[in-house]
Every structure is written in structure tokens, then in C-alpha cells.
Amino acid sequence: ALLAGHPRDLAGRHVVVTAGGTREYLDPVRFLGNRSSGLQGVALAETALARGASVTLVAANLSVPAPAGVELVEVVSTEDLRQATLKHAASADAVVMAAAPADFRPTSFADAKIKKRPDGQAPTIELVENPDVLVEVVQQRGATASPVVVGFAAETGDANGSVLDHARAKLARKGCDLLVVNDVSEGKVFGRADSEAVILAADGSAHPVALGHKSLLAHAIWAEVATRLT
Ligand code: CTP
Ligand code: CA
């Protein structure tokens, strides 16, 4: 599904891509997770290789195979993803955060399987917020313009604003260079080969990408990244 004749504008560059959805375990058999398949992250990794980059793929519980030729770093939880991403981002030219990290984790992990109680009383699961890896990647690069940092946002419009309103606010809050916005109001995107998105830039520009294969969106993202490399 790769484009023929794509530019080799990432030759000699090292990029980090995060993919999939993190899991936060409650006990040895149960976890809190999300619907991210890893398809978009895998498409980003494949297309970066095709454009000449060396690629580190930080892979969280992918439901699709990782492409050959990447440096594969497998992670489970948001904390694992945080450590791997910060480590590899330190020497990267670009970091694209396509993974869906769990926002919350259980405050404690039960070493033994949680059993049903004879009185029928259901347990209450207390949660604590996870660190924001994207914000930490932006903080780690400090005042330099490298690496170029790209976030993703799956948004729905609501009473407080449209999909793009929420996305603009998120881009400003996170401090990244680009934010790829998907409208997920009808369960679109998850586990599908196709996606439609808008690539918002911190400079105020917006680049719509029509519905098409996730590798086409990936190429559009790399094209925007390539113009911002230092
Ligand atoms: N992200 C991250 N660490 C987290 C949560 C999100 O690095 N703990 C990254 C995602 O990989 C994505 C971007 O931040 O690239 C936006 O994720 P999103 O879930 O939309 O942002 P949140 O700040 O968690 O906002 P929301 O409350 O809308 O979920
Ligand atoms: Ca989130």
C-alpha cells in the first residue's frame, strides 16, 4: 500500500513512532485497555522506512504485526511507554505519538486474581492519572527545535466546541509541533484500514487529508514533519 515514488526525505534520520494501546493491569488476568489497534502507528513506521528513516517502534499491545526493519520496543503500560519513548526520543529527529496511552491506571495491582464475593458486592476500582508522555517529550527537548513532535487526537464535538476547537486547544496545551485530528463520533477510525484527518500545526496552518488508507495519512504526516526537521 506504499506510494510509488515517495521522496527519501527522511534519509539519515532517526524517528520514533508509538503505536497501539496501553494496558493497565488490575490483577494477573485483567486490564483496563482501549480500542487502538496500532494500524496507524504501523503505517507510520512502514512509510518512514520507505522514506529512508531508521525507525524505533514503541509498540503497545499491537493487534497487527510490526513491520520488518524497525527497532521494535514492546511495552504494556503507559509507564512502560513513557520510559521507552523518553529514552529513544532523546536522540531522535522526530517523535510521532500514534499510540493511545491509558489516561488512568488502578491505584494498586492485586498480586492474586480478584475473586467474586459471596455477598455479591462488586469491588470499586480506584484510579490515578497517568503521566502525559507527549508533554514530557516536549519538555525533554527543552528550547531546541529537535525532535519534531507530533501528537494524535481522537475527538468528538460536544456542547463545549467542535472537533477542531478541542484539537486546537489540545495542540496549544501539549506544546507539540503537529496534531493529527480524527473525528471519532461514530466509532470511525478504530481497527479500520482507512482514516480521514486534519493535520494541525502550531503555526496555525491546517492540512486536511481526505478519507483514504492509513498509509496515505502517514505519508502526509511525514511530508509535514520533513519540512520541519532541523
Ligand atoms: N498522550 C500521551 N500520554 C498520555 C495521554 C496521551 O502521550 N498519558 C498522547 C497521545 O499519544 C496522543 C496525544 O497525547 O498523541 C493526545 O492524546 P489524547 O488522549 O487525545 O489527549 P489527552 O490529554 O489524554 O486528552 P483527553 O482528555 O481528550 O483524552
Ligand atoms: Ca487520553
Side-chain angles (χ1 to χ4, degrees), residues 78-97:
T78 294
E79 180 57 30
D80 301 338
L81 178 119
R82 170 177 177 265
Q83 286 178 24
T85 305
L86 289 172
K87 175 180 160 194
H88 294 279
S91 57
D93 295 296
V95 180
V96 181
M97 306 271 301

Side-chain angles (χ1 to χ4, degrees), residues 18 20 22 78 81 85 96-104 129-137 150-155 166 170 173-174 176 178-180:
T18 71
T22 66
T78 294
L81 178 119
T85 305
V96 181
M97 306 271 301
D103 290 337
F104 307 99
E129 195 167 318
N130 272 326
D132 191 313
V133 183
L134 179 57
V135 165
E136 291 192 23
V137 168
V150 184
F152 271 72
E155 300 284 350
H166 289 302
K170 187 168 284 180
R173 203 161 61 231
K174 304 255 184 192
C176 51
L178 298 166
L179 189 74
V180 183

Side-chain angles (χ1 to χ4, degrees), residues 21-34 60-61 75-80 102 104-114 125-128 130:
T22 66
R23 293 178 180 177
E24 304 293 345
Y25 274 84
L26 297 167
D27 71 13
V29 296
R30 304 185 180 99
F31 58 83
L32 298 174
N34 63 70
N61 315 294
V75 298
V76 176
S77 67
T78 294
E79 180 57 30
D80 301 338
F104 307 99
R105 67 177 183 277
T107 44
S108 62
F109 172 77
D111 290 316
K113 186 185 170 195
I114 300 166
I125 300 162
E126 201 184 312
L127 302 177
V128 60
N130 272 326

Side-chain angles (χ1 to χ4, degrees), residues 31-190:
F31 58 83
L32 298 174
N34 63 70
R35 293 175 61 187
S36 181
S37 62
L39 273 172
Q40 185 63 66
V42 165
L44 281 156
E46 279 172 348
T47 52
L49 288 170
R51 295 170 89 110
S54 74
V55 179
T56 301
L57 181 63
V58 179
N61 315 294
L62 301 185
S63 48
V64 291
V70 300
E71 177 193 18
L72 183 64
V73 182
E74 293 190 286
V75 298
V76 176
S77 67
T78 294
E79 180 57 30
D80 301 338
L81 178 119
R82 170 177 177 265
Q83 286 178 24
T85 305
L86 289 172
K87 175 180 160 194
H88 294 279
S91 57
D93 295 296
V95 180
V96 181
M97 306 271 301
D103 290 337
F104 307 99
R105 67 177 183 277
T107 44
S108 62
F109 172 77
D111 290 316
K113 186 185 170 195
I114 300 166
K115 302 296 283 181
K116 285 189 285 190
R117 289 168 42 152
D119 63 5
Q121 180 88 45
T124 299
I125 300 162
E126 201 184 312
L127 302 177
V128 60
E129 195 167 318
N130 272 326
D132 191 313
V133 183
L134 179 57
V135 165
E136 291 192 23
V137 168
V138 171
Q139 279 167 357
Q140 178 171 272
R141 80 175 169 180
T144 65
S146 184
V148 174
V149 181
V150 184
F152 271 72
E155 300 284 350
T156 58
D158 61 24
N160 296 317
S162 68
V163 166
L164 285 183
D165 292 336
H166 289 302
R168 279 261 168 242
K170 187 168 284 180
L171 175 61
R173 203 161 61 231
K174 304 255 184 192
C176 51
D177 303 297
L178 298 166
L179 189 74
V180 183
V181 187
N182 293 121
D183 181 340
V184 289
S185 19
E186 283 119 52
K188 293 181 269 199
V189 175
F190 299 110

